[in-house]
Amino acid sequence: MKLFSLALFAALSATSFAKTYPVTGNTVNCRSGPGTSYAVKKSYKKGQNVSISCQTSGTSVSGNNIWDKTSDGCYVADHYVKTGVNGYVTTKCGGSSGGGGGSSGSYCKKINTAGVNLVAQWEGFVASPKPDPIGLPTVGYGHLCQKKNCAEVKYKFPLSKTTAKQLLSDDLPKYTKCLAGYLNSKVKLNDNQLAALTSWTFNVGCGNVKTSTLVKRLNKGESPNTVAGQELPKWRMAGGRVMQGLVNRRKAEIKLFKTASSKQAYPKCQ
């Protein structure tokens, strides 16, 4: 899409009227949250105009992780809306702080081996790009393709389990970073807890984590073990249906989360 100049973008943002944008997909689902795991509230037809009230990050769709909240109060993937801009065209949903942002940057940037193994176990090994259970192209241990045929991956296909683990190690810090960015200084996590939450973040996406009740409760100072035990099991749906694999994964994440450890990982890394 053609990029607008910064001046034009600012002018558009300052306008008081609500601009509408056409939907480009044949049938585009509008969901209760910014991600493919959220329930479908309604659908838009190709060519239908939608008004965007705000935007946020969520599950990446064809390399675009922006989700648009429409005037109907639900979210559509920006990939399917012709805004004319490669990026945000309006304000971010919920303001810029996201209710967290308390990390000083001294948290553990890499999760422990138990966490890496947990992610690898539940993502499963895929040597060459192919659709996952809800139709998104993945490769290795859960790497979501950002370009056609996963062209962004620097390792040769078919991947070996060794190169797949290397790709996973390349991917995970991004999810630990976004998770840490949503937590405030009230939250204290050991290495097993941070690893379990990174696995969850890797699975559901940064946008979903940002708006989650789990993060909100942690930021209020509630007991991490209580919050994880109550909130993680809720994340069991994909493509609008309960997935037994996700039910089992959440159980494994809770088990790791509640495994005692004396090593602090957030907000400071020991």
Side-chain angles (χ1 to χ4, degrees):
M1 291 182 282
K2 185 177 180 181
L3 292 173
F4 286 151
S5 68
L6 291 176
L8 179 56
F9 176 78
L12 286 172
S13 299
T15 54
S16 59
F17 59 87
K19 185 174 181 180
T20 60
Y21 304 91
V23 171
T24 60
N26 290 327
T27 301
V28 177
N29 292 326
C30 196
R31 299 177 178 272
S32 60
T36 53
S37 62
Y38 284 93
V40 176
K41 294 300 183 181
K42 66 176 300 177
S43 296
Y44 298 117
K45 299 297 183 181
K46 186 174 183 178
Q48 185 174 348
N49 288 326
V50 295
S51 177
I52 301 174
S53 59
C54 63
Q55 294 174 294
T56 188
S57 59
T59 305
S60 179
V61 177
S62 296
N64 186 347
N65 71 344
I66 297 175
W67 284 70
D68 306 330
K69 187 174 183 180
T70 74
S71 57
D72 294 309
C74 51
Y75 296 80
V76 294
D78 185 68
H79 172 71
Y80 299 114
V81 181
K82 188 177 181 180
T83 62
V85 175
N86 288 328
Y88 288 84
V89 296
T90 187
T91 57
K92 292 186 177 182
C93 302
S96 59
S97 66
S103 171
S104 65
S106 58
Y107 63 91
C108 293
K109 305 302 188 296
K110 293 185 178 181
I111 62 173
N112 60 22
T113 301
V116 174
N117 290 340
L118 185 150
V119 174
Q121 175 189 351
W122 291 103
E123 291 293 338
F125 173 66
V126 178
S128 298
K130 73 174 186 178
D132 69 0
I134 60 172
L136 298 175
T138 59
V139 73
Y141 291 108
H143 176 85
L144 185 62
C145 299
Q146 303 299 306
K147 297 180 180 179
K148 185 177 181 181
N149 299 321
C150 285
E152 77 280 1
V153 175
K154 62 184 179 182
Y155 307 104
K156 184 179 179 181
F157 296 134
L159 297 177
S160 65
K161 289 188 175 181
T162 298
T163 54
K165 272 286 183 75
Q166 291 173 339
L167 177 59
L168 179 60
S169 295
D170 294 340
D171 287 342
L172 283 172
K174 176 177 69 175
Y175 295 90
T176 306
K177 180 179 180 180
C178 77
L179 169 66
Y182 304 145
L183 301 175
N184 63 32
S185 58
K186 293 180 181 179
V187 184
K188 310 295 181 185
L189 302 174
N190 64 41
D191 62 333
N192 287 332
Q193 293 171 329
L194 183 64
L197 290 185
T198 296
S199 170
W200 167 62
T201 304
F202 185 80
N203 182 223
V204 306
C206 292
N208 291 335
V209 170
K210 179 180 180 180
T211 58
S212 69
T213 303
L214 188 154
V215 164
K216 292 177 182 177
R217 291 180 63 183
L218 288 178
N219 284 338
K220 288 179 180 178
E222 294 188 42
S223 166
N225 281 343
T226 299
V227 172
Q230 293 176 351
E231 294 295 332
L232 283 176
K234 298 177 181 179
W235 296 83
R236 65 190 188 280
M237 296 184 67
R241 64 184 189 276
V242 174
M243 306 286 284
Q244 188 59 45
L246 292 180
V247 173
N248 296 338
R249 179 172 181 158
R250 299 290 91 91
K251 290 179 180 179
E253 288 166 349
I254 292 171
K255 182 179 179 180
L256 176 60
F257 192 98
K258 293 186 175 181
T259 300
S261 174
S262 60
K263 182 178 180 181
Q264 186 181 16
Y266 182 91
K268 292 184 178 181
C269 186
Q270 288 183 341

